[in-house]
């Protein structure tokens, strides 16, 4: 019927008016390839052959069979799957199991050779027994940390309900998620099952490596089915719906399984690399941190009191700053390092490695570069002297140059931060000043200067800012001296704290969280990055002040261990990842507005909570796009025809 309509419109376009032009190009072939037969037959029973051949009415393509085609029950030896001309041949390598329904799920991998029209979610089914098992289990897999759809992860069933099955047995039946995180496990026999997800790194269809993303639940499911009706949307073009019709179908249950996938914390500890990009420091990177830090013994130098140690909060990245300039100038430093490393049994044991730390830029090259800098400086001073301009007769010492983050326009809830290029030997807080302007006079303003948590070279100035007030932040010379004797110069920055009229306020009144643990609520920007964070109060309210006018999104997680950050799960400890929820709509903050929103965290299913605007894993909708091409072409042709008639 559709093609008849297209032909009629084209006929009108050709004969309706002598002046009428025709659109560029012809009609698209939007018909997918059609199956015309198979060996064995579709849904055949009593099958003994391990080879399946499917025939089509046109030449076809098969996209990435290894990733897209799933055979169930899972095959421990990879089946051979080939597309040749107008057929697909699947040769199973594992011995067929008796009285078993087999499904070969091609997803959207099959398309015609010319226009790449996908066949759709096609599954070939046969049985080695006397009947076909027809039940289905479907749902979604989302990332537990940010509720993103997880594409391409295996989802499988066990009829063995013991926790140990996931570790010791291959999954019984499997499917793979699409780009929206959706999965359908077909060919399921009656019974009771658990559902798991597995990013199978080694192809054994069971959880065997910490690096594998997993999802598990203690819920059990008994598949069932009943007749039902669904709406089928007919599109007139890419934007407009032509009609909606009711279509009978068999509804399989459960169809709403939601699995929250996570990757366990990496606890296998080993040294990733050691490097000395800069001559004044040696950096070490471990796969996992530990409170017990390495012990270093110098082999060609004295390591006693030779270093200032800087580590990140996880203690998996360590920087050893060399105190002595003689060691900085030594191109090769060799030392033994004793540290904890995971052995083959998964236990931490003391290990000793010999490390050679070679400076990336040799000392001779650094000397040469400094000589060039001095020569250039001398020439500049000589030119100034000849022009009777002020010049220096003594080569200036290299200064310490802290990185000040003190913006001219300051938010009332911000602090001034200072990052040092190297560890400090001394700092003089008496040389740091803050003045506020009252009327036309400047007065000393109170502040707290402190080192930032877990940051050897980071400092901050905490101030109770007064909105709509001018400040002057000033640092005297020699306020900071680093371990190499470099001295900081003077610094001055004028600051204007913004007025409260430039901000909005948000109150989120939350409900539905049964856990008595702390709840951390985060405001996100359009890229899903955290811009503000608050703890939920005892009355269920999360409060955000000083919000700039913008579009925000909200996320919350249950902080079970009270460490202020989201933590992943652990299968062997029967520990799920900390629960995460998204407010399902965008939040618009306006200047001088106080907004109060109700948030029932379970009112929307978890897989639908994350607003589409910030979902990174977008659904392609390729089939719908291809289906609507001719509808859009017909619409354009009709518009052109009417325009020419009016002429």
């Amino acid at each position: 019927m559709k093609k008849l309509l297209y032909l009629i419109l084209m006929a009108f376009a050709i004969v309706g008016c002598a002046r009428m032009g025709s659109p560029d190009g012809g009609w698209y072939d939007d018909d997918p390839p059609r199956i015309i037969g198979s060996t064995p037959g579709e849904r055949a029973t009593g099958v003994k052959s391990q080879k399946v051949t499917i025939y089509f009415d046109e030449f076809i393509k098969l996209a990435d069979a290894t990733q897209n085609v799933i055979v169930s029950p899972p095959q421990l030896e990879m089946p051979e799957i080939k597309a040749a001309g107008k057929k697909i041949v699947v040769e199973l390598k594992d011995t067929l199991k008796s009285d078993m329904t087999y499904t070969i799920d091609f997803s959207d991998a099959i398309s015609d050779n010319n226009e790449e029209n996908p066949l759709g979610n096609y599954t070939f089914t046969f049985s080695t027994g006397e009947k076909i098992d027809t039940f289905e289990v479907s749902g979604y897999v989302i990332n537990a940390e940010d509720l993103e759809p997880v594409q391409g992860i295996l989802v499988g069933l066990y009829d063995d309900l013991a926790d140990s099955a996931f570790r010791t047995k291959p999954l019984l039946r499997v499917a793979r998620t699409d780009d929206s995180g959706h999965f359908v496990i077909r060919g399921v026999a009656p019974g009771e099952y658990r559902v798991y997800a597995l990013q199978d790194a080694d192809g054994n269809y069971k959880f065997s490596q910490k690096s594998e993303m997993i999802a598990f639940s203690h819920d059990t499911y008994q598949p069932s089915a009943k007749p039902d009706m669904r709406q089928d949307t007919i599109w007139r073009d890419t934007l407009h719906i032509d009609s909606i019709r009711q279509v009978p179908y068999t509804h399989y249950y459960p169809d709403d399984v939601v699995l929250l996938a996570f990757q366990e914390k990496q606890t296998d500890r080993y040294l990733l690399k050691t490097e000395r990009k800069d001559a004044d420091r040696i950096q070490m990177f471990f796969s996992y941190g530990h409170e017990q830090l390495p012990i270093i013994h110098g082999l060609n130098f004295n390591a006693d009191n030779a270093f200032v140690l800087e580590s990140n909060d996880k203690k998996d990245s360590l920087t050893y700053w060399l105190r002595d300039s003689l060691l900085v100038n030594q191109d090769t430093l060799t030392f033994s390092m004793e540290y904890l490393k995971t052995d083959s049994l998964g236990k931490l044991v003391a290990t000793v490695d010999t490390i050679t730390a070679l400076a990336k830029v040799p000392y001779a090259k650094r000397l040469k570069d400094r000589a060039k800098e001095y020569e250039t400086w001398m020439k500049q001073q000589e030119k100034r002297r000849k022009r009777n301009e002020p010049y220096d007769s003594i080569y200036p010492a290299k200064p310490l140059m802290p990185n000040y983050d003190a913006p001219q326009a300051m938010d009332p809830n911000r602090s001034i931060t200072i990052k040092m290029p190297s560890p400090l030997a001394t700092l003089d807080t008496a040389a740091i000043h803050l003045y506020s302007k009252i009327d036309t006079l400047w007065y000393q303003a109170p502040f707290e200067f402190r080192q930032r948590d877990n940051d050897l070279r980071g400092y901050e100035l905490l101030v109770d800012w007064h909105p709509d007030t001018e400040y002057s932040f000033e640092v005297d010379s020699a306020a900071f001296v680093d371990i190499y004797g470099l001295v900081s110069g003077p610094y001055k920055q004028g600051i204007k704290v913004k007025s409260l009229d430039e901000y909005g306020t948000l109150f989120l009144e939350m409900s539905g969280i049964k856990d008595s643990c702390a709840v951390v609520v985060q405001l996100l920007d359009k890229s899903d990055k955290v811009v503000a964070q608050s703890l939920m109060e005892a009355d269920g309210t999360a409060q955000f002040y000083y919000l700039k006018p913008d579009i925000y999104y909200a996320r919350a997680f249950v902080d079970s261990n009270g460490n202020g950050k989201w933590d992943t799960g652990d299968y062997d400890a029967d520990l799920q990842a900390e629960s995460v929820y998204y407010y399902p709509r965008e939040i618009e903050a306006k200047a001088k507005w106080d907004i109060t929103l109700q948030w029932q965290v379970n009112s929307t299913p978890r897989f639908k909570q994350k607003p589409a605007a910030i979902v990174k894993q977008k659904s392609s909708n390729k089939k719908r796009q291809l289906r609507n091409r001719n509808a859009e072409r017909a619409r354009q042709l009709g518009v052109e025809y009417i325009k020419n008639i009016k002429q």
Side-chain angles (χ1 to χ4, degrees), residues 264-281:
E264 291 188 346
K265 185 182 291 185
Q266 176 59 261
T267 56
D268 290 341
R269 190 169 195 263
Y270 49 90
L271 180 65
L272 294 171
K273 63 177 179 178
T274 302
E275 60 186 20
R276 192 182 173 195
K277 289 184 178 179
D278 299 285
D280 57 3
R281 74 204 77 165

Side-chain angles (χ1 to χ4, degrees), residues 416-465:
I416 294 173
T417 60
I418 308 171
K419 187 71 173 183
M420 299 299 168
S422 49
L424 294 183
T426 63
L427 67 87
D428 183 5
T429 56
I432 302 171
H433 314 281
L434 184 69
Y435 303 98
S436 63
K437 188 176 183 180
I438 302 176
D439 295 329
T440 58
L441 300 178
W442 290 92
Y443 297 89
Q444 285 192 350
F447 64 87
E448 179 188 352
F449 185 81
R450 70 180 188 185
Q451 188 172 8
R452 305 187 74 183
D453 293 339
N454 300 312
D455 190 350
L456 176 68
R457 295 178 289 121
Y459 300 85
E460 61 185 347
L461 202 75
L462 302 179
V463 184
D464 184 12
W465 302 106

Side-chain angles (χ1 to χ4, degrees), residues 540-551:
T541 302
Q543 304 171 6
F544 294 92
Y545 300 93
Y546 309 119
L547 293 181
K548 299 174 183 178
D550 206 343
I551 298 297

